[in-house]
Amino acid sequence: MTSEGETTGPFWAARAYPRGSGQDHLGLGSVSSDRLLAGLSPGVNVLTVHPRYWSFYAFLLDEFWARDLPRSQAAFRDFYRPREALYSFACQLCEQPEHETLTSGVVGSRRTYSVIGQDKFDPAFDYIKEPLGGYGLYYRTVMESMGLVVLTDPAAGVVFDAPTPEGRAVAAGYRSAVGGTRFYRDYFATCDTAVARDVLAEFAAAGCLCRLRTAATADLPLLQDVFLHYGEPEEAERRRATFRFFLDFCRTTQAEAVSQDRFRQLVYFRELDGERYEPLPGVLGTARRWRIYQAREYFAFAFNRLWAWVTRRGLELSDDGLTLVPLGRLWTVITEELDDNDFCGDLSDPGITADMPGRAFADWLTGHVDITPGVDDLWPRHDELDEHTLYAWCANDEDDAGTLLAMLAILLLVHRRLCTPGRQADLGDDAALLAEGGGQRIGMTRFYELLHRRLTANQTIAELLQWIIIDFVIVQHERVATAKLPHSGDTFRFRRVGDALRFFPADAPTAFNDSRFGALSTIAHELGLVSSLAWERRELTASGLALLADGDLPTGAVQQAAAEFHQESRGE
Amino acid sequence: MSDVPVIVVPEQIQGSWTNLVVLTYSAHLDFFETHLLRQLSRVPNRIVLADDRRLADQFATAARSGQRLGQANRTYLAAPIRNPWAAHAKAVLLTTSTAGRLLVGSGNLGPDGYAEPGELWHRYTYDDGIGEHVDVFAAVRSLIDGIATRGWLDPAAVAGLTRAWSSTPWLPPRPAARQPLHHNLDTPLIEAITAAVDGPISLLTVHTPFYDEDVATLGQLLDRLRPERLRVLLTPDTSVDGERLAAVVSRPGTAVSLDRVGVADAPTAFLHAKIIHVVGNKREVLVTGSPNLSRRALLLPAATGNVELAVIETRPPGGFASLYTPLTVQPLSASESLTLTFRGGGEKAPTDALALLYSELRGNVLTLVFTTATGPGVPELFFPDGTALLALTAEGDGTVFRFRLADTDVERLTRGGRVDVRAPGCAEGAEPEPTWPYHVDALRGRMERVGDNRLLMSMGALPHTDNDLFALLRQLEQTLIFDPETAWKVAGARAAAHAGEEGDAERERVRWEEIDWERLYRHPRYRGYQRSRGPDGEPTSEIELILSSIAARLNGVTGSPTAQEQDDDLGAGSEPDDADGEKQRPRGLSVSTRTRMAYNRLAVRFTVALHDTVFQEKLGPTLTVRNVVILGHILRELLRDDVIDPGRAITAQLASWSFLWGPDKLVASLTGEERAAAEQVLTEVRARQTTLRALCELTGYDVDDELRRAVRDQTQELLLSPTLGLDQRLLALTAPDARQAAALVANLRYLAGDYTDREIIEQMAAHWGIGTTSVAWERGKVQRSTGQGCPPRQSEVEVDLIRVQEPIAGLTVERAGTDLVRLASLLIVTGVDLDYVRIRYAQGRDVAYWDAVAGEGICYVGSDEKELTELRPEFPAWWQRLDDLDGRAAPAVARCSPARSHQRPSALV
Ligand SMILES: [Zn+2]
């Protein structure tokens, strides 16, 4: 600049936040994961898939504490990384029959897999970026919540993560499984030389993730006890109830594997492939809460799918973001397309247009989909109009009027099934789950209260969609993207500017949130309760049958095994 | 475009200011609350003044969509400007009692206006003593005051502004000299523009996103300026009727080009900047800021038009050339100009329908003010969830209503958010009107509670932004007296020079002999160190506040003051679990080199000052104890957050521990009341536990040899320091869990016994009184019994041994035995699990060894021979102290325990 003194401008403004792709653009995911699922399966999350990692990490911590090493993150990292790297190799070299049902979730396998063909394996292999690997990334906090470790806390005088007596008991269990292996005897102590294939394979035969099921004299009974009884008592009870529920429903539709998609349908409708699932009386409450969870997933999907609709259609209307799109123009497009929809397909069209009252649309829907059965009953499927069918029909990027109507239909069906005042009363205390999300993350209770008023006021399909898109898609997206600016960058897909919308070119994926089905079913299987849910013809083990019948298994294994360590920590 | 200055607006709106006043048309309060407020947490007086209708829209949308805006009108003011038409001026004013920053431009408060390309800004800074730009700041103040005097602001906003001006004494109410800012409160902007222009005009370039429907204002501008050439910059989003535009600009004597303009590296950016660029022969005039080419912006005063704020700058020819560098400009095709349309909207005529103007909460009284008289009765009030507020009494005259509320409702109200109001006589089923009451007491209280050193008061945890971190350093320097430099500034021989941020490098060395100590002892900053408590027992001096903040942090009260203010953070935690598993580490504070270097410098200054015993004596124990506690805490936090060079921080920590706990050092030297007073402070902030924990944390750092040795020696000293007094009780206080206590002891053992092989040689050489070059480690082959068989088998194995290459005077078998004890003890201390030690002497076949596995040894000196059946190590006192603490029996090296085969690798390399 040519002006004298300090430059005062003019300055062009620069972008303050880099563009980011982001996820969960309406911020609804945390209602599922942090609230509903946290209540249904405390201590297990999407990525804590293999129960034996609880043993393995407790074991590594215990071995670390048995050595004269500084108790610092750096010292533990140096001890931990070579051993987990080799474990990652071992779990892929495993030749045991049980390994057939272990398909994923080996920490570090993304990198270790690429060199699995070698003859010798280097403990210094950089198997993962995170300094404390799978422990630091996924398992550390859940192990704490189940009482196996205490975590570093300078203010409380916890110098470094340490196994509790219970954690040491589990570690000892694991050690008894692998103590006789050549790897443990000859390599583990220093872990500074390459290890041959057969040595790791032999170690895997004893210590692989898959071999927990056979470790009846080692860590298996301890982990069963931990998963069913440890952590906060109330949390343990809910976790136990969920495992029992899994053992219950997995006995239906035996001809097929249970996938997450089939799980959702079983949970929600209790009918699949013409087969019915009737929960055991003791499982009914848990089954109901899982059903509410899945209702929330359909509900959230509807908004997310409308968001994707607006994003993609907006980019089209705005010449890939080059021009503003007046909101009025968006409404015109929606109205015109609604008037020319083919939502009904082979069903007789009751005259679905933009002007059709929402209530009439809902009546027509429930004329086909039988929503009369109560909150604990089986909900009959409908080939063309039930929630899952509509979801599957729209789980793509076809953004037409049919999609708009299908999403509205999902919201209306969930409303009448679970969220009318009468149905909420039937849910009793569980109705509180519908309120999760509140005003910030589209709580169902609040949304349906507002929807009810609009239906009563005889608002049309177009009016309802306009309201939903403005208040729960556009405004919600703006809020979430605004909140993410500092850490995730600019993830806006669109934003209001006066009475128009600006669009930003970026993708708009939509999917359900992970239901933790993968983790929960794998844990149930690997804890030796049931054959793999990913296979046909599930069979419950003796323990599984006992848990299903009694709602619990005997406890005490951990307490007994931990007794000596309790004594030790009291300095006796 | 590297030479074109750019500005990142949110980066400008942070720091430890006292006042923030934002002028904006639309106010994206969500953006303001969730993002900007985070970096403005230390600014007590925060005022957003926005167009009344846009703000009402914003609040209505928030109410409808369940957005809480829990801080609005509670921790900051979001107040409407109620002029008849649009309040369109855009500015950001930040001030303290001595400084200011001002942004004036085209962007509205929100992600579009502040965070995207396409806006133009000017930035002015003011610093007391330099005094530049004071008239520019005064011009903005005169606009704001003018808005207030016209009665366009609510009383709460006026009160907020009064607080702002009274805490900004340097800011005059109106400019005293010519300056570039112009508003239209009295005179239309077009007058100021015309006045700035002189002589014939060769080129007029204009860009504004909005025009009049009839494009009349551009016509007027052309009538006045009569340029030879006119260049109209247009985007597909320009709101203008293409045909009318063509008609208006086509006039004799003016060559016209219609160009399409865009931001070069952001093609989708919305070009919202307003440009009127007048090129004459002798000079150029550039008009930027808020006004569009519309009647109400340019041709009318605020009474009948908008409120606008423009920057009108004059420069020599070519002075604004770089303005267009980041833009792409190309001729607009005829067909494109036809697609331009006037979008209308924006300008809504004033109405005088019944509406709620505003509400105020004072104590237990909620006041509602309506535009006109309501129907008979009193309004009904609800919380967002539909619960009615309980009014103990209600009185009103039809326009103003006062409700005395129940305590529980007041308590709920003070947590922020809206109240829904149903006016008496409104239609059945009509939506209630939302209002965010002005929390009059809370807003005023924010200003009263805090002085200029707010960062210090929450110092328990370090601030989260680089700017605040840097500001904290300055505040520390302005509060503490911890080295000659800070002392000199308080009571130097001359008045302290302006403490520049950049000038430190050249700052001349302070000679503390020049410090006037008597003056220093009288200085308020010195007296601030004296223990002082208010009538309620609350700390009052800044030093006391800092100490209590540290104590709170160490007691596990970790939340920063803003934490409770945050609503549910929509951005955080909503990401689904990362399936790929390369998650970010928590809170990676990004710290600038400037800040890092400044803290490095602080550490060095502190270290030097601690070694200056005469200076510390002059300061006296009251100051020094507190300094060590405060700076020690800061150092530990800085180290943990990786904000400082570990070498410098650890050096300073060692110096401070030595200073505090060392033999004959500070604590040891105090007696009587002085000692008791110091002990009280040390106990409150748990200085002993903190020292041990911080020391223990040093195991996590790799430092150079010299510092490693210093850490080792300091650890040994602290273990034995009577004033620190490490005993079972202190250990239990420091690490309540037995295993963690053992870990702490293990870490201390590791630090104190950190001898390398080279240092073992040095120790042995000193023991023998010979040069270190005469002693060396070497590998050698010896016969040893191996295996556990009975009788044990002998075989040749390689071992590490010490070779002495110089004769040792007076060597006997007894002395050789002592040598073995010494070497074995040293090795054990370094963490080696003793297996076999051997010393090969220089003369003849003199040798001594001890085989721990076999439990036997021998010394040969000359012809003497002595068999050993046991070897009792002799450990240093600090080692025994640690053994006492963890109850570990001293190893009698009669046998090596086979279970422990681990060796510390570094010891024998
Ligand atoms: Zn396996």
Side-chain angles (χ1 to χ4, degrees):
Chain A
M1 303 299 294
T2 53
S3 70
E4 62 265 50
E6 192 200 21
T7 307
T8 57
F11 303 103
W12 284 101
R15 185 179 292 292
Y17 310 97
R19 291 288 303 170
S21 58
Q23 286 173 307
D24 193 17
H25 297 274
L26 299 180
L28 307 182
S30 78
V31 180
S32 295
S33 59
D34 301 342
R35 308 293 305 172
L36 299 178
L37 288 175
L40 285 163
S41 69
V44 174
N45 62 46
V46 174
L47 295 165
T48 53
V49 179
H50 296 297
R52 208 169 208 191
Y53 270 123
W54 271 258
S55 301
F56 180 69
Y57 294 137
F59 165 71
L60 285 189
L61 266 178
D62 195 47
E63 290 280 335
F64 172 71
W65 275 82
R67 284 163 171 72
D68 270 341
L69 290 170
R71 305 301 170 211
S72 71
Q73 155 115 359
F76 183 60
R77 182 197 60 216
D78 294 347
F79 176 82
Y80 172 95
R81 282 187 71 91
R83 290 163 180 83
E84 174 161 65
L86 291 176
Y87 192 59
S88 181
F89 286 122
C91 286
Q92 293 176 78
L93 295 171
C94 177
E95 294 155 350
Q96 303 306 308
E98 290 81 9
H99 208 86
E100 212 176 353
T101 58
L102 194 146
T103 49
S104 67
V106 176
V107 172
S109 58
R110 215 150 43 93
R111 294 190 191 175
T112 49
Y113 177 77
S114 62
V115 292
I116 202 67
Q118 13 178 48
D119 296 331
K120 278 184 166 286
F121 296 90
D122 179 6
F125 184 78
D126 187 13
Y127 70 104
I128 202 165
K129 197 167 79 188
E130 158 77 23
L132 292 188
Y135 175 69
L137 270 177
Y138 316 121
Y139 288 87
R140 185 171 176 261
T141 47
V142 294
M143 287 174 71
E144 188 209 20
S145 75
M146 291 196 203
L148 299 191
V149 297
V150 290
L151 303 187
T152 311
D153 181 354
V158 180
V159 177
F160 192 72
D161 292 14
T164 59
E166 290 72 23
R168 297 180 71 187
V170 171
Y174 186 78
R175 191 179 297 108
S176 73
V178 301
T181 62
R182 267 187 291 161
F183 175 71
Y184 183 69
R185 271 200 333 261
D186 302 340
Y187 296 89
F188 186 83
T190 50
C191 216
D192 54 3
T193 52
V195 182
R197 223 180 156 80
D198 60 326
V199 172
L200 287 181
E202 186 222 24
F203 179 67
C208 180
L209 299 169
C210 74
R211 295 286 281 172
L212 175 62
R213 309 206 305 275
T214 65
T217 57
D219 47 337
L220 177 62
L222 299 168
L223 281 187
Q224 285 180 345
D225 199 6
V226 165
F227 275 85
L228 297 181
H229 306 112
Y230 279 75
E232 291 295 318
E234 199 227 347
E235 292 190 349
E237 188 185 327
R238 280 181 282 149
R239 197 184 311 124
R240 192 160 68 226
T242 278
F243 283 123
R244 190 182 184 197
F245 169 60
F246 269 60
L247 297 178
D248 191 23
F249 76 72
C250 79
R251 298 175 304 158
T252 37
T253 63
Q254 287 278 32
E256 298 264 349
V258 189
S259 62
Q260 178 158 242
D261 189 66
R262 293 174 63 81
F263 165 71
R264 293 181 191 280
Q265 300 174 62
L266 266 176
V267 161
Y268 190 69
F269 299 101
R270 301 184 189 160
E271 183 185 326
L272 185 59
D273 303 342
E275 250 187 86
R276 307 168 143 230
Y277 161 54
E278 280 180 46
L280 287 180
V283 173
L284 209 53
T286 305
R288 184 199 306 140
R289 287 185 281 280
W290 273 98
R291 172 177 262 181
I292 293 172
Y293 158 75
Q294 184 52 35
R296 171 79 199 181
E297 287 293 348
Y298 290 127
F299 178 81
F301 179 82
F303 295 103
N304 282 320
R305 186 62 187 83
L306 289 171
W307 168 83
W309 194 100
V310 172
T311 302
R312 283 189 293 258
R313 292 302 302 270
L315 282 174
E316 214 175 281
L317 292 170
S318 66
D319 199 1
D320 273 339
L322 281 175
T323 59
L324 297 173
V325 178
L327 279 166
R329 169 127 171 71
L330 188 65
W331 308 140
T332 310
V333 167
I334 288 177
T335 308
E336 283 171 7
E337 296 196 7
L338 284 174
D339 284 341
D340 185 27
N341 74 82
D342 58 354
F343 177 70
C344 293
D346 296 338
L347 301 168
S348 67
D349 189 339
I352 298 173
T353 60
D355 288 341
M356 183 187 205
R359 214 155 38 163
F361 182 49
D363 289 344
W364 174 78
L365 283 169
T366 52
H368 289 89
V369 183
D370 181 7
I371 53 95
T372 51
V375 296
D376 284 328
D377 299 330
L378 181 143
W379 291 348
R381 304 295 304 261
H382 189 281
D383 285 349
E384 281 163 272
L385 289 178
D386 73 33
E387 290 90 326
H388 202 84
T389 313
L390 293 172
Y391 147 76
W393 187 51
C394 297
N396 50 44
D397 53 10
E398 227 160 278
D399 301 308
D400 54 11
T403 302
L404 297 176
L405 287 165
M407 295 306 107
L408 180 60
I410 286 181
L411 294 175
L412 293 167
L413 287 171
V414 171
H415 182 209
R416 293 201 172 176
R417 285 198 205 269
L418 284 172
C419 302
T420 60
R423 288 288 161 96
Q424 290 201 38
D426 295 343
L427 288 174
D429 290 348
D430 290 334
L433 296 175
L434 299 174
E436 294 289 359
Q440 292 275 309
R441 299 177 193 269
I442 321 188
M444 295 169 81
T445 313
R446 178 170 176 278
F447 174 80
Y448 283 120
E449 221 176 272
L450 297 171
L451 177 68
H452 176 73
R453 273 190 238 161
R454 285 174 189 263
L455 290 171
T456 314
N458 226 22
Q459 288 207 341
T460 64
I461 288 176
E463 285 168 331
L464 290 174
L465 279 169
Q466 180 169 334
W467 163 64
I468 291 169
I469 288 174
I470 290 245
D471 282 8
F472 298 98
V473 176
I474 295 175
V475 172
Q476 184 71 14
H477 174 57
E478 285 176 354
R479 283 160 59 178
V480 169
T482 300
K484 285 181 178 184
L485 279 173
H487 27 268
S488 307
D490 181 345
T491 60
F492 282 98
R493 296 302 193 269
F494 46 78
R495 189 155 73 205
R496 281 168 305 163
V497 177
D499 295 327
L501 280 175
R502 274 185 70 195
F503 288 88
F504 304 91
D507 63 340
T510 339
F512 283 135
N513 297 290
D514 196 303
S515 65
R516 300 188 186 172
F517 168 77
L520 288 164
S521 60
T522 305
I523 291 172
H525 168 55
E526 293 180 1
L527 277 180
L529 301 174
V530 59
S531 62
S532 173
L533 270 71
W535 290 26
E536 307 91 75
R537 278 173 289 284
R538 270 80 59 193
E539 274 179 48
L540 271 56
T541 63
S543 310
L545 287 168
L547 175 58
L548 181 64
D550 310 334
D552 202 354
L553 292 178
T555 183
V558 172
Q559 197 188 1
Q560 197 186 350
E564 61 168 305
F565 303 114
H566 273 292
Q567 271 176 15
E568 208 173 293
S569 75
R570 281 194 301 266
E572 285 165 29
Chain B
M1 72 169 271
S2 57
D3 59 332
V4 180
V6 295
I7 196 170
V8 179
V9 177
E11 286 178 5
Q12 300 293 323
I13 311 177
Q14 57 178 316
S16 296
W17 303 93
T18 311
N19 301 291
L20 162 77
V21 183
V22 174
L23 289 178
T24 183
Y25 174 55
S26 58
H28 197 303
L29 295 182
D30 192 21
F31 174 75
F32 185 70
E33 285 204 4
T34 56
H35 183 46
L36 290 183
L37 276 197
R38 266 175 226 223
Q39 52 189 52
L40 293 168
S41 59
R42 327 275 175 183
V43 180
N45 193 26
R46 308 178 291 199
I47 305 172
V48 175
L49 301 176
D51 178 70
D52 52 351
R53 266 158 295 189
R54 302 302 304 190
L55 188 63
D57 262 9
Q58 167 82 197
F59 276 135
T61 305
R64 222 179 49 237
S65 62
Q67 190 171 3
R68 199 167 158 255
L69 294 180
Q71 302 201 55
N73 288 336
R74 185 171 64 94
T75 74
Y76 71 97
L77 276 160
I81 302 175
R82 304 185 192 279
N83 60 319
W85 297 87
H88 201 243
K90 301 154 210 314
V92 180
L93 174 65
L94 292 153
T95 68
T96 68
S97 58
T98 59
R101 181 181 293 159
L102 171 65
L103 306 178
V104 178
S106 59
N108 293 308
L109 169 53
D112 281 295
Y114 283 10
E116 289 266 320
E119 308 280 2
L120 269 179
W121 291 92
H122 279 74
R123 180 191 54 197
Y124 304 92
T125 53
Y126 173 86
D127 204 333
D128 241 4
I130 300 172
E132 218 186 351
H133 304 311
V134 67
D135 290 312
V136 179
F137 284 84
V140 169
R141 175 171 173 184
S142 75
L143 167 64
I144 296 169
D145 284 348
I147 291 170
T149 50
R150 282 164 176 77
W152 292 339
L153 296 179
D154 295 341
V158 174
L161 290 169
T162 307
R163 288 194 288 272
W165 306 151
S166 66
S167 56
T168 311
W170 53 268
L171 177 55
R174 65 194 66 82
R178 277 175 63 93
Q179 52 74 43
L181 258 53
H182 295 264
H183 58 69
N184 67 334
L185 283 185
D186 307 305
T187 320
L189 283 173
I190 194 154
E191 303 300 339
I193 297 171
T194 332
V197 176
D198 184 27
I201 289 159
S202 51
L203 172 63
L204 171 65
T205 305
V206 294
H207 172 269
T208 63
F210 302 96
Y211 285 77
D212 298 314
E213 188 162 16
D214 57 5
V215 200
T217 305
L218 178 57
Q220 281 248 9
L221 196 65
L222 292 174
D223 289 347
R224 294 234 190 171
L225 301 180
R226 307 204 162 279
E228 285 168 39
R229 278 172 58 217
L230 168 67
R231 189 165 66 143
V232 183
L233 305 180
L234 298 153
T235 74
D237 292 320
T238 306
S239 174
V240 62
D241 182 324
E243 279 179 51
R244 278 182 189 268
L245 175 66
V248 166
V249 299
S250 122
R251 50 182 67 204
T254 300
V256 178
S257 64
L258 302 186
D259 289 344
R260 177 166 184 162
V261 64
V263 181
D265 57 1
T268 62
F270 178 44
L271 195 64
H272 188 248
K274 296 95 170 52
I275 298 172
I276 300 173
H277 182 189
V278 189
V279 178
N281 293 336
K282 284 174 283 181
R283 61 186 191 203
E284 299 187 8
V285 175
L286 178 69
V287 185
T288 58
S290 70
N292 288 302
L293 280 165
S294 75
R295 213 175 259 111
R296 294 194 196 283
L298 279 184
L299 307 184
L300 297 173
T304 49
N306 299 337
V307 170
E308 303 278 358
L309 179 61
V311 185
I312 305 180
E313 265 193 300
T314 306
R315 288 186 192 169
F320 297 108
S322 66
L323 180 67
Y324 301 98
T325 318
L327 304 180
T328 56
V329 181
Q330 53 199 337
L332 196 69
S333 70
S335 62
E336 265 183 296
S337 73
L338 291 178
T339 64
L340 292 169
T341 48
F342 176 71
R343 285 201 307 276
E347 291 201 349
K348 291 195 188 97
T351 64
D352 42 41
L354 167 68
L356 179 60
L357 260 184
Y358 66 87
S359 59
E360 271 187 4
L361 180 68
R362 267 175 216 274
N364 271 21
V365 176
L366 182 70
T367 306
L368 302 185
V369 179
F370 288 86
T371 47
T372 58
T374 65
V378 287
E380 297 172 281
L381 309 175
F382 306 93
F383 284 113
D385 66 359
T387 358
L389 275 81
L390 185 62
L392 304 175
T393 63
E395 52 181 66
D397 62 2
T399 312
V400 178
F401 293 88
R402 287 193 181 78
F403 300 86
R404 182 165 296 281
L405 300 176
D407 288 346
T408 48
D409 284 352
V410 172
E411 200 273 324
R412 186 164 167 191
L413 266 184
T414 53
R415 276 177 270 147
R418 71 175 203 268
V419 175
D420 289 333
V421 178
R422 202 182 288 279
C426 77
E428 189 63 33
E431 291 291 314
E433 229 184 314
T435 178
W436 271 255
Y438 296 118
H439 293 241
V440 176
D441 304 328
L443 288 164
R444 195 182 48 227
R446 284 182 62 83
M447 193 68 177
E448 286 167 357
R449 240 192 352 258
V450 283
D452 261 349
N453 283 331
R454 283 167 304 281
L455 285 170
L456 291 175
M457 310 317 160
S458 51
M459 205 198 64
L462 289 182
H464 291 258
T465 67
D466 182 62
N467 271 350
D468 277 355
L469 211 47
F470 190 76
L472 171 65
L473 187 87
R474 275 194 89 167
Q475 292 178 13
L476 279 169
E477 292 211 20
Q478 286 162 6
T479 310
L480 302 182
I481 307 172
F482 68 93
D483 73 339
E485 197 171 308
T486 40
W488 188 80
K489 270 194 213 137
V490 169
R494 292 170 282 133
H498 185 74
E501 286 169 22
E502 330 299 341
D504 297 56
E506 291 173 36
R507 185 177 294 162
E508 66 182 290
R509 246 190 87 73
V510 173
R511 278 171 301 159
W512 65 260
E513 294 89 338
E514 291 176 9
I515 295 164
D516 178 347
W517 288 97
E518 286 313 310
R519 197 165 129 214
L520 186 133
Y521 297 148
R522 288 193 308 271
H523 194 277
R525 205 195 285 186
Y526 180 87
R527 292 209 308 272
Y529 276 89
Q530 311 300 323
R531 180 152 286 260
S532 61
R533 298 267 154 150
D536 48 0
E538 287 298 302
T540 55
S541 82
E542 284 177 345
I543 302 289
E544 287 301 311
L545 283 164
I546 298 169
L547 290 170
S548 62
S549 152
I550 293 175
R553 163 90 164 161
L554 296 174
N555 283 315
V557 186
T558 46
S560 67
T562 51
Q564 311 106 323
E565 292 184 356
Q566 302 292 350
D567 280 339
D568 176 17
D569 185 348
L570 272 172
S574 64
E575 301 282 320
D577 294 314
D578 174 9
D580 262 350
E582 308 276 286
K583 212 164 54 179
Q584 295 277 312
R585 292 199 54 66
R587 185 157 102 92
L589 190 70
S590 141
V591 181
S592 70
T593 314
R594 170 192 75 157
T595 304
R596 191 178 290 279
M597 283 177 59
Y599 276 108
N600 286 345
R601 216 153 44 223
L602 175 82
V604 172
R605 277 170 55 191
F606 183 44
T607 309
V608 171
L610 284 167
H611 288 301
D612 189 338
T613 45
V614 184
F615 174 78
Q616 296 292 348
E617 224 163 85
K618 286 269 190 194
L619 279 188
T622 308
L623 269 68
T624 50
V625 165
R626 285 165 174 78
N627 285 340
V628 166
V629 164
I630 291 168
L631 291 170
H633 175 79
I634 293 238
L635 286 169
R636 186 174 173 213
E637 297 276 327
L638 292 168
L639 204 49
R640 202 183 289 156
D641 280 357
D642 192 24
V643 182
I644 193 167
D645 167 42
R648 292 198 169 90
I650 293 171
T651 304
Q653 281 185 316
L654 294 182
S656 73
W657 295 330
S658 164
F659 178 83
L660 205 55
W661 312 114
D664 310 322
K665 294 296 187 59
L666 182 67
V667 177
S669 70
L670 299 178
T671 51
E673 270 179 36
E674 274 191 335
R675 173 73 179 254
E679 284 292 349
Q680 195 183 341
V681 174
L682 295 174
T683 308
E684 267 169 32
V685 299
R686 307 180 175 202
R688 289 185 169 83
Q689 290 102 299
T690 304
T691 300
L692 285 174
R693 285 173 191 163
L695 182 61
C696 183
E697 282 162 14
L698 299 188
T699 46
Y701 296 90
D702 257 337
V703 293
D704 66 33
D705 244 24
E706 193 186 344
L707 186 54
R708 184 182 51 73
R709 262 179 256 149
V711 170
R712 180 190 66 208
D713 296 346
Q714 182 67 70
T715 308
Q716 294 179 1
E717 185 185 302
L718 286 173
L719 288 172
L720 297 173
S721 157
T723 44
L724 180 65
L726 175 54
D727 56 11
Q728 288 292 358
R729 196 183 138 272
L730 177 57
L731 181 65
L733 284 174
T734 311
D737 170 81
R739 257 195 134 197
Q740 294 295 337
L744 196 121
V745 171
N747 281 4
L748 295 175
R749 212 184 271 281
Y750 172 82
L751 292 172
D754 197 354
Y755 293 94
T756 61
D757 288 353
R758 175 85 210 138
E759 287 161 351
I760 290 172
I761 295 285
E762 285 166 12
Q763 294 275 320
M764 292 307 293
H767 164 70
W768 285 313
I770 60 179
T772 52
T773 49
S774 304
V775 186
W777 284 101
E778 67 176 42
R779 293 287 285 171
K781 288 189 175 151
V782 297
Q783 288 288 322
R784 279 189 69 186
S785 54
T786 52
Q788 275 87 42
C790 192
R793 282 209 309 274
Q794 294 279 316
S795 62
E796 194 176 70
V797 291
E798 276 214 330
V799 297
D800 295 290
L801 55 88
I802 279 195
R803 175 175 288 281
V804 189
Q805 280 144 341
E806 189 180 314
I808 292 165
L811 184 66
T812 62
V813 286
E814 276 70 34
R815 281 202 57 182
T818 318
D819 294 349
L820 278 180
V821 168
R822 183 133 198 134
L823 178 59
S825 308
L826 257 174
L827 286 171
I828 292 170
V829 160
T830 64
V832 172
D833 202 6
L834 198 72
D835 174 36
Y836 185 90
V837 283
R838 188 179 185 98
I839 301 171
R840 182 79 178 86
Y841 294 98
Q843 284 182 311
R845 301 181 53 82
D846 292 359
V847 71
Y849 74 83
W850 169 254
D851 185 331
V853 179
E856 60 183 26
I858 212 158
C859 302
Y860 294 108
V861 173
S863 54
D864 284 354
E865 177 182 334
K866 183 187 175 198
E867 274 195 38
L868 304 173
T869 52
E870 63 165 22
L871 186 95
R872 290 207 171 276
E874 287 166 10
F875 292 114
W878 61 262
W879 177 273
Q880 288 165 21
R881 169 67 54 90
L882 289 173
D883 282 349
D884 293 345
L885 285 172
D886 66 1
R888 187 162 119 172
V893 190
R895 293 273 179 208
C896 155
S897 73
R900 296 175 68 224
S901 57
H902 171 69
Q903 291 202 334
R904 194 164 141 255
S906 72
L908 294 173
V909 173

